[in-house]
């Protein structure tokens, strides 16, 4: 049977989360397996472990059918190839979140984007930065650096930098502060554009995509159970964010009902407090192990 080939980062910030996602989709991946190619035993899928810089082109050239790569890297690769990259985004995966930002030395006082006019900016993302500067009608000199961008101002290579920021600790440690966000990034699942797949390969892909969607939905969803005064049903169901159609169950006490719903919400403590305020009791919030949409 034809096998699907997925490129993921061999070692780095995205590798553990990429493997975890595939494992949650039911793929048996040996824990220590980081050889170039891993043959998944229970699914017609092979995993190629590579540097993230190669993933977009491997997918574009059809060496791999799918890849997991940062939106920052994928966007830079797309712009560098003047949109001729033959790889498209299938899912935003919600991990490896960070932002690409312009940062200035602590003692510089910049207020607006035009204040960086004619200055030198060091970055590993020259194409994204050039596009951002053009969109903002600012002319500045872009200096490409492969790494250690945060040291560029210190060594007087540039006046500013444009680099990935997550917690902000690296900028702070290098006497820099964030000035403006150029783009937000997260891990993407990309796939080859217009692939010519056999029916069997399409079936494997569709199964994998459904499982990925399910894993992502489970991550953001919880099963909410509570008891409520019958007259508060509509008020309470309005607070159950993301719930499609809650289940309402009669209780022995005729004045009360139980309400069950799958909710997606990032602030469940706040949701529970609001529910309690309008009369809900015995509120339970449970994790969801698996969910088929
Ligand atoms: O070896 P390979 O080429 O595969 O990896 P790499 O070294 O090129 O990439 P890697 O593993 O560092 O990052 C992979 C992807 O993770 C990036 O493309 C981003 O999409 C994403 N990501 C998420 C990050 C960060 N968070 C991050 N914090 N990428 C880099 N950083 C670096 C940043 O460059 C800076 O040096 O961490 C520092 C900033 O972090 P804070 O927390 O101090 O702000
Ligand atoms: Zn890289």
């Amino acid at each position: 049977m034809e096998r699907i080939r997925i490129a993921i980062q061999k070692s780095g910030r995205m590798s553990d989360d990429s493997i975890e996602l595939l494992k949650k989709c039911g793929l048996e991946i040996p824990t220590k397996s980081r050889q170039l190619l891993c043959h998944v035993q229970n699914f017609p899928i092979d995993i190629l472990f590579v540097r993230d810089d190669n993933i977009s082109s491997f997918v574009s050239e059809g060496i791999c059918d799918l890849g997991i790569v940062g939106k920052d890297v994928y966007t830079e690769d797309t712009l560098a190839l003047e949109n001729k990259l033959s790889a498209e985004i299938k899912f935003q995966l919600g991990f490896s979140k960070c932002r690409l930002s312009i940062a200035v030395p602590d003692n510089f006082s910049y207020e607006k984007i035009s204040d960086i006019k004619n200055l030198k900016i060091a970055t590993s993302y020259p194409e994204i930065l050039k596009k951002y500067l053009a969109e903002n009608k600012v002319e500045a000199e872009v200096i490409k650096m492969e790494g250690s961008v945060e040291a560029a101002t210190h060594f007087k290579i540039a006046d500013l930098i444009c680099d990935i920021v997550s917690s902000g600790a690296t900028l702070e440690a290098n006497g820099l502060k964030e000035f403006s966000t150029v783009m937000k990034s997260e891990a993407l699942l990309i796939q080859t554009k217009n692939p010519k797949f056999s029916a069997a390969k399409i079936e494997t892909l569709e199964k994998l995509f459904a499982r990925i969607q399910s894993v992502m939905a489970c991550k953001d969803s919880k099963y909410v159970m509570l008891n409520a005064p019958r007259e508060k049903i509509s008020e309470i169901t309005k607070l159950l964010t993301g719930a499609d159609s809650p289940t309402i169950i009669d209780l022995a006490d005729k004045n009360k009902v139980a309400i069950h719903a799958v909710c997606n919400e990032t602030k469940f403590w706040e949701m529970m407090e609001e529910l309690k305020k309008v009369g809900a009791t015995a509120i339970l919030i449970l994790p969801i192990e698996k969910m088929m949409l």
Side-chain angles (χ1 to χ4, degrees):
M1 189 191 229
E2 272 187 278
R3 301 175 68 83
I4 300 284
R5 194 172 272 184
I6 310 179
I8 68 171
Q9 195 189 25
K10 182 178 165 66
S11 63
R13 287 188 166 84
M14 286 191 314
S15 19
D16 288 348
D17 286 337
S18 303
I19 291 179
E20 196 191 315
L21 170 70
L22 298 176
K23 281 187 170 172
K24 281 189 178 158
C25 289
L27 275 62
E28 282 168 16
I29 306 166
T31 316
K32 295 246 172 318
S33 167
R34 296 280 170 107
Q35 291 159 346
L36 179 62
L37 196 69
C38 164
H39 196 80
V40 176
Q41 294 294 331
N42 65 336
F43 230 87
I45 289 180
D46 291 332
I47 301 172
L48 198 66
F49 291 97
V50 291
R51 288 198 60 188
D52 67 347
D53 314 62
N54 298 327
I55 294 176
S56 310
S57 61
F58 277 16
V59 173
S60 174
E61 288 157 21
I63 297 167
C64 293
D65 309 300
L66 302 173
I68 297 179
V69 65
K71 188 173 180 185
D72 49 353
V73 173
Y74 170 78
T75 309
E76 182 67 20
D77 293 343
T78 304
L79 293 172
L81 278 179
E82 294 169 344
N83 295 319
K84 288 193 195 89
L85 197 72
S86 207
E88 61 192 2
I89 301 172
K90 183 69 193 170
F91 297 121
Q92 308 217 25
L93 297 172
F95 61 83
S96 291
K97 285 193 173 175
C98 55
R99 52 199 186 275
L100 181 64
S101 291
I102 296 178
V104 299
D106 276 336
N107 56 350
F108 277 52
S109 58
Y110 292 112
E111 279 166 12
K112 46 191 188 312
I113 189 77
S114 55
D115 291 347
I116 65 173
K117 198 174 157 201
N118 298 332
L119 295 179
K120 288 182 187 169
I121 314 174
T123 188
S124 307
Y125 298 86
E127 299 305 324
I128 298 177
L129 178 58
K130 279 183 214 160
K131 184 166 180 263
Y132 178 80
L133 293 171
E135 281 166 1
N136 285 282
K137 301 184 175 49
V138 180
E139 279 189 31
E141 188 183 340
V142 174
I143 297 168
K144 185 176 178 183
M145 281 180 76
E146 294 297 343
S148 307
V149 174
E150 65 279 358
T153 56
H154 183 69
F155 292 112
K156 310 261 182 283
I157 296 168
D159 305 297
L160 321 171
I161 68 160
C162 174
D163 199 13
I164 297 294
V165 183
S166 176
S167 64
T170 305
L171 290 186
E172 205 182 315
N174 286 281
L176 297 161
K177 60 186 178 192
E178 231 173 321
F179 167 65
S180 73
T181 304
V182 172
M183 76 173 283
K184 288 190 175 159
S185 181
E186 65 184 276
L188 302 175
L189 181 80
I190 57 169
Q191 66 173 354
T192 313
K193 266 188 203 166
N194 309 318
K196 291 179 188 69
F197 286 157
S198 65
K201 218 166 165 180
I202 290 171
E203 199 182 315
T204 310
L205 265 186
E206 283 175 355
K207 201 184 251 188
L208 180 68
F209 290 163
R211 290 192 187 187
I212 290 176
Q213 276 179 304
S214 162
V215 170
M216 290 197 298
C218 281
K219 208 169 67 181
D220 300 330
S221 301
K222 299 266 188 277
Y223 195 75
V224 179
M225 299 163 75
L226 56 88
N227 290 348
R230 192 175 285 279
E231 72 274 12
K232 297 284 176 141
I233 293 177
S234 81
E235 227 175 306
I236 283 181
T237 50
K238 269 188 214 137
L239 293 173
L240 298 171
T241 37
D244 213 9
S245 173
T247 309
I248 316 278
I249 308 160
D250 285 336
L251 292 177
D253 177 347
K254 294 284 174 245
N255 298 318
K256 284 185 168 182
V257 291
I259 303 179
H260 293 189
V262 174
C263 297
N264 51 51
E265 171 65 70
T266 46
K267 295 173 178 159
F268 274 101
W269 276 113
E270 283 81 350
M271 181 200 254
M272 280 170 97
E273 285 154 6
E274 290 298 312
L275 289 167
K276 199 166 161 45
K277 257 191 232 163
V278 290
T281 54
I283 310 166
L284 298 182
I285 299 201
L286 311 172
I288 297 171
E289 172 68 26
K290 300 244 182 317
M291 175 155 104
M292 199 50 100
L293 302 168

